[in-house]
Amino acid sequence: MNSPKSNQLPLSHLLLALAIVAVWGTNFVVIKLSLDAFPPFLFAALRYTFAFLPLAFFIPRPKVSWANMCAYGVAIGVGQFGILFFAIDGRISPGLASLVVQTQVFFTIGFAMFFAKERLKLYQAVAVSVSMTGLAIIALHTDANTTFLGLALVVLAGLAWGMGNTVSRRAGSINMLAYVVWASVFSLPPLFLISWIFEGGWEQMSTSISSAPMSAWAGVFWQSWGNTVFGYAAWAWLLSKHPAAVVAPAPLLVPIFGMGASVYFLSEPLPLWKILAAGLVITGLIVNLFWPNLEKFFRK
């Protein structure tokens, strides 16, 4: 018999949640540094190669259709991270990328409206409007470090993330780590094919792999094992111990860690407009997440 889920996070669980979002947030700096050695789609392909191997030999395939896992693997592996890596490779700063990609929340809502016939509530419309205002501020301040193309690409990555969320919801209650590991194999053919066609063919791919320094390979394994194995496994464990509403606010800190790490490690500028844009995007996310609970509280 399953024990009831706790509505309070003990200190050890709170620290674990913070460790997860710290890994997810600082990952954007790791991406930027690793792209000095690997072209973006090859880097993404290597990430999912080691997300699949060797864990697939030890983790049973989840009881989900191959079609569902294929759709998830392509949406997340190619659509989210392939495009995200391509954008961070000189088209947008990693700190802003960590913020803009959170638009996935609103794309997820949109897909729920379309496929599940969920209705857009007033507070959700307000949340989207507030966050879109933040994105508009970013669009008005594009420069050599953050181009309009880079901004559009990261929004597209958020769209793909929203698609992946929609697909995974249709998979039902499953072992998320096993799902991510086995879906990773479907990311590999398109990612390697894109790299082969657009990033210099086999010769350039083999040169990048053979000449990459250990620091770049550390970035690959950070992607595969830090984000996938630790991040997803630990997050799934927290969700098994506590209601989703208790732990769901933690990812709101991802852009904070992402922008902070970019400022500290990469000396990314943090002008007032960027702080304002970040505040508006995060405010929109907070309104979307917490408004139903606040509404219930004020009605008591």
Side-chain angles (χ1 to χ4, degrees), residues 141-159:
H141 290 84
T142 54
D143 54 23
N145 294 318
T146 298
T147 65
F148 186 80
L149 175 60
L151 177 62
L153 286 169
V154 178
V155 171
L156 185 59
L159 170 65

Side-chain angles (χ1 to χ4, degrees), residues 103-118 120 124 128 159 162 166 169:
T103 54
Q104 60 87 14
V105 171
F106 304 114
F107 286 118
T108 301
I109 293 171
F111 285 123
M113 291 172 57
F114 183 81
F115 291 107
K117 306 303 180 184
E118 295 181 10
L120 181 68
Q124 292 174 323
V128 171
L159 170 65
T166 302
R169 286 178 64 183

Side-chain angles (χ1 to χ4, degrees), residues 267-287:
S267 300
E268 181 178 325
L270 193 61
L272 182 60
W273 69 262
K274 193 177 290 187
I275 296 173
L276 176 60
L280 288 169
V281 172
I282 294 172
T283 297
L285 296 172
I286 291 173
V287 169

Side-chain angles (χ1 to χ4, degrees), residues 154-229:
V154 178
V155 171
L156 185 59
L159 170 65
W161 191 356
M163 292 173 61
N165 289 339
T166 302
V167 171
S168 66
R169 286 178 64 183
R170 292 181 170 232
S173 180
I174 53 173
N175 182 325
M176 194 61 188
L177 177 62
Y179 183 68
V180 170
V181 167
W182 279 90
S184 295
V185 72
F186 294 101
S187 306
L188 301 182
L191 285 171
F192 277 118
L193 182 61
I194 293 170
S195 182
W196 177 65
I197 294 174
F198 297 105
E199 295 178 342
W202 294 121
E203 183 177 355
Q204 183 59 45
M205 292 168 68
S206 61
T207 299
S208 297
I209 290 173
S210 61
S211 63
M214 286 304 299
S215 58
W217 283 107
V220 170
F221 294 123
W222 181 264
Q223 294 287 306
S224 303
W225 299 339
N227 282 270
T228 302
V229 178

